[in-house]
PDB file of all heavy atoms in Angstrom:
ATOM      1  N   GLU A  69      58.481 125.258 271.093  1.00 82.00           N
ATOM      2  CA  GLU A  69      58.828 126.345 270.166  1.00 82.00           C
ATOM      3  C   GLU A  69      60.332 126.480 269.967  1.00 82.00           C
ATOM      4  O   GLU A  69      60.804 126.680 268.864  1.00 82.00           O
ATOM      5  CB  GLU A  69      58.331 127.726 270.696  1.00 82.00           C
ATOM      6  CG  GLU A  69      56.846 127.797 270.829  1.00 82.00           C
ATOM      7  CD  GLU A  69      56.183 128.342 269.556  1.00 82.00           C
ATOM      8  OE1 GLU A  69      56.897 128.896 268.698  1.00 82.00           O
ATOM      9  OE2 GLU A  69      54.992 128.121 269.406  1.00 82.00           O
ATOM     10  N   GLN A  70      61.033 126.391 271.100  1.00 82.00           N
ATOM     11  CA  GLN A  70      62.580 126.550 270.951  1.00 82.00           C
ATOM     12  C   GLN A  70      63.186 125.370 270.165  1.00 82.00           C
ATOM     13  O   GLN A  70      64.038 125.563 269.302  1.00 82.00           O
ATOM     14  CB  GLN A  70      63.202 126.553 272.390  1.00 82.00           C
ATOM     15  CG  GLN A  70      64.670 126.909 272.340  1.00 82.00           C
ATOM     16  CD  GLN A  70      65.186 127.076 273.823  1.00 82.00           C
ATOM     17  OE1 GLN A  70      64.604 126.617 274.769  1.00 82.00           O
ATOM     18  NE2 GLN A  70      66.347 127.606 273.972  1.00 82.00           N
ATOM     19  N   LEU A  71      62.640 124.244 270.330  1.00 81.00           N
ATOM     20  CA  LEU A  71      63.096 122.998 269.587  1.00 81.00           C
ATOM     21  C   LEU A  71      62.766 123.124 268.176  1.00 81.00           C
ATOM     22  O   LEU A  71      63.654 122.889 267.306  1.00 81.00           O
ATOM     23  CB  LEU A  71      62.588 121.730 270.172  1.00 81.00           C
ATOM     24  CG  LEU A  71      63.141 121.288 271.557  1.00 81.00           C
ATOM     25  CD1 LEU A  71      62.307 120.147 272.124  1.00 81.00           C
ATOM     26  CD2 LEU A  71      64.616 120.797 271.336  1.00 81.00           C
ATOM     27  N   LEU A  72      61.599 123.552 267.838  1.00 77.00           N
ATOM     28  CA  LEU A  72      61.227 123.680 266.493  1.00 77.00           C
ATOM     29  C   LEU A  72      61.964 124.747 265.716  1.00 77.00           C
ATOM     30  O   LEU A  72      62.225 124.617 264.525  1.00 77.00           O
ATOM     31  CB  LEU A  72      59.603 123.869 266.348  1.00 77.00           C
ATOM     32  CG  LEU A  72      58.823 122.676 266.695  1.00 77.00           C
ATOM     33  CD1 LEU A  72      57.420 123.061 266.721  1.00 77.00           C
ATOM     34  CD2 LEU A  72      59.102 121.538 265.728  1.00 77.00           C
ATOM     35  N   ASP A  73      62.345 125.827 266.400  1.00 78.00           N
ATOM     36  CA  ASP A  73      63.150 126.851 265.767  1.00 78.00           C
ATOM     37  C   ASP A  73      64.520 126.303 265.486  1.00 78.00           C
ATOM     38  O   ASP A  73      65.070 126.792 264.393  1.00 78.00           O
ATOM     39  CB  ASP A  73      63.407 128.053 266.782  1.00 78.00           C
ATOM     40  CG  ASP A  73      62.077 128.858 266.856  1.00 78.00           C
ATOM     41  OD1 ASP A  73      61.199 128.786 265.999  1.00 78.00           O
ATOM     42  OD2 ASP A  73      61.919 129.683 267.880  1.00 78.00           O
ATOM     43  N   GLY A  74      65.012 125.333 266.149  1.00 76.00           N
ATOM     44  CA  GLY A  74      66.332 124.802 265.837  1.00 76.00           C
ATOM     45  C   GLY A  74      66.326 123.581 264.893  1.00 76.00           C
ATOM     46  O   GLY A  74      67.368 123.158 264.390  1.00 76.00           O
ATOM     47  N   VAL A  75      65.167 123.048 264.574  1.00 73.00           N
ATOM     48  CA  VAL A  75      65.059 121.857 263.617  1.00 73.00           C
ATOM     49  C   VAL A  75      64.746 122.340 262.226  1.00 73.00           C
ATOM     50  O   VAL A  75      63.889 123.147 262.004  1.00 73.00           O
ATOM     51  CB  VAL A  75      63.839 120.982 264.081  1.00 73.00           C
ATOM     52  CG1 VAL A  75      63.637 119.861 263.104  1.00 73.00           C
ATOM     53  CG2 VAL A  75      64.070 120.389 265.458  1.00 73.00           C
ATOM     54  N   SER A  76      65.455 121.867 261.369  1.00 66.00           N
ATOM     55  CA  SER A  76      65.418 122.161 259.905  1.00 66.00           C
ATOM     56  C   SER A  76      64.709 120.982 259.207  1.00 66.00           C
ATOM     57  O   SER A  76      65.420 119.887 259.139  1.00 66.00           O
ATOM     58  CB  SER A  76      66.784 122.514 259.320  1.00 66.00           C
ATOM     59  OG  SER A  76      66.610 122.688 257.969  1.00 66.00           O
ATOM     60  N   PHE A  77      63.490 121.210 258.621  1.00 62.00           N
ATOM     61  CA  PHE A  77      62.903 120.229 257.851  1.00 62.00           C
ATOM     62  C   PHE A  77      63.211 120.408 256.367  1.00 62.00           C
ATOM     63  O   PHE A  77      63.413 121.539 255.962  1.00 62.00           O
ATOM     64  CB  PHE A  77      61.385 120.189 258.117  1.00 62.00           C
ATOM     65  CG  PHE A  77      61.055 119.720 259.489  1.00 62.00           C
ATOM     66  CD1 PHE A  77      60.653 120.679 260.425  1.00 62.00           C
ATOM     67  CD2 PHE A  77      61.102 118.377 259.843  1.00 62.00           C
ATOM     68  CE1 PHE A  77      60.261 120.172 261.756  1.00 62.00           C
ATOM     69  CE2 PHE A  77      60.751 118.001 261.061  1.00 62.00           C
ATOM     70  CZ  PHE A  77      60.271 118.827 262.060  1.00 62.00           C
ATOM     71  N   SER A  78      63.167 119.354 255.631  1.00 58.00           N
ATOM     72  CA  SER A  78      63.592 119.455 254.201  1.00 58.00           C
ATOM     73  C   SER A  78      62.671 120.447 253.384  1.00 58.00           C
ATOM     74  O   SER A  78      63.054 121.099 252.406  1.00 58.00           O
ATOM     75  CB  SER A  78      63.552 118.087 253.569  1.00 58.00           C
ATOM     76  OG  SER A  78      62.309 117.590 253.496  1.00 58.00           O
ATOM     77  N   SER A  79      61.389 120.466 253.765  1.00 52.00           N
ATOM     78  CA  SER A  79      60.439 121.310 253.025  1.00 52.00           C
ATOM     79  C   SER A  79      60.633 122.753 253.370  1.00 52.00           C
ATOM     80  O   SER A  79      60.030 123.677 252.665  1.00 52.00           O
ATOM     81  CB  SER A  79      59.027 120.808 253.303  1.00 52.00           C
ATOM     82  OG  SER A  79      58.686 121.056 254.564  1.00 52.00           O
ATOM     83  N   GLY A  80      61.314 123.008 254.442  1.00 48.00           N
ATOM     84  CA  GLY A  80      61.490 124.427 254.870  1.00 48.00           C
ATOM     85  C   GLY A  80      60.336 124.959 255.663  1.00 48.00           C
ATOM     86  O   GLY A  80      60.351 126.027 256.176  1.00 48.00           O
ATOM     87  N   ALA A  81      59.196 124.271 255.777  1.00 47.00           N
ATOM     88  CA  ALA A  81      58.115 124.666 256.547  1.00 47.00           C
ATOM     89  C   ALA A  81      58.327 124.282 257.979  1.00 47.00           C
ATOM     90  O   ALA A  81      58.908 123.279 258.364  1.00 47.00           O
ATOM     91  CB  ALA A  81      56.807 124.016 255.993  1.00 47.00           C
ATOM     92  N   ARG A  82      57.725 125.133 258.836  1.00 49.00           N
ATOM     93  CA  ARG A  82      57.851 124.887 260.258  1.00 49.00           C
ATOM     94  C   ARG A  82      56.690 123.879 260.683  1.00 49.00           C
ATOM     95  O   ARG A  82      55.562 123.952 260.275  1.00 49.00           O
ATOM     96  CB  ARG A  82      57.607 126.202 261.010  1.00 49.00           C
ATOM     97  CG  ARG A  82      57.920 126.083 262.435  1.00 49.00           C
ATOM     98  CD  ARG A  82      58.126 127.469 263.048  1.00 49.00           C
ATOM     99  NE  ARG A  82      58.433 127.339 264.449  1.00 49.00           N
ATOM    100  CZ  ARG A  82      57.540 127.460 265.433  1.00 49.00           C
ATOM    101  NH1 ARG A  82      56.376 127.724 265.119  1.00 49.00           N
ATOM    102  NH2 ARG A  82      57.869 127.330 266.661  1.00 49.00           N
ATOM    103  N   ALA A  83      57.059 122.942 261.513  1.00 45.00           N
ATOM    104  CA  ALA A  83      56.136 121.871 262.015  1.00 45.00           C
ATOM    105  C   ALA A  83      55.120 122.509 262.862  1.00 45.00           C
ATOM    106  O   ALA A  83      55.348 123.452 263.579  1.00 45.00           O
ATOM    107  CB  ALA A  83      56.829 120.743 262.656  1.00 45.00           C
ATOM    108  N   ARG A  84      53.932 121.995 262.866  1.00 45.00           N
ATOM    109  CA  ARG A  84      52.870 122.408 263.778  1.00 45.00           C
ATOM    110  C   ARG A  84      52.945 121.733 265.013  1.00 45.00           C
ATOM    111  O   ARG A  84      53.390 120.503 265.121  1.00 45.00           O
ATOM    112  CB  ARG A  84      51.491 122.122 263.110  1.00 45.00           C
ATOM    113  CG  ARG A  84      51.287 122.923 261.839  1.00 45.00           C
ATOM    114  CD  ARG A  84      49.815 123.052 261.634  1.00 45.00           C
ATOM    115  NE  ARG A  84      49.588 123.890 260.406  1.00 45.00           N
ATOM    116  CZ  ARG A  84      49.420 125.181 260.364  1.00 45.00           C
ATOM    117  NH1 ARG A  84      49.503 125.787 261.518  1.00 45.00           N
ATOM    118  NH2 ARG A  84      49.216 125.811 259.301  1.00 45.00           N
TER     119      ARG A  84
END
Side-chain angles (χ1 to χ4, degrees):
E69 294 271 342
Q70 189 175 18
L71 285 168
L72 288 174
D73 285 341
V75 174
S76 174
F77 290 105
S78 66
S79 64
R82 189 162 182 263
R84 296 201 178 269

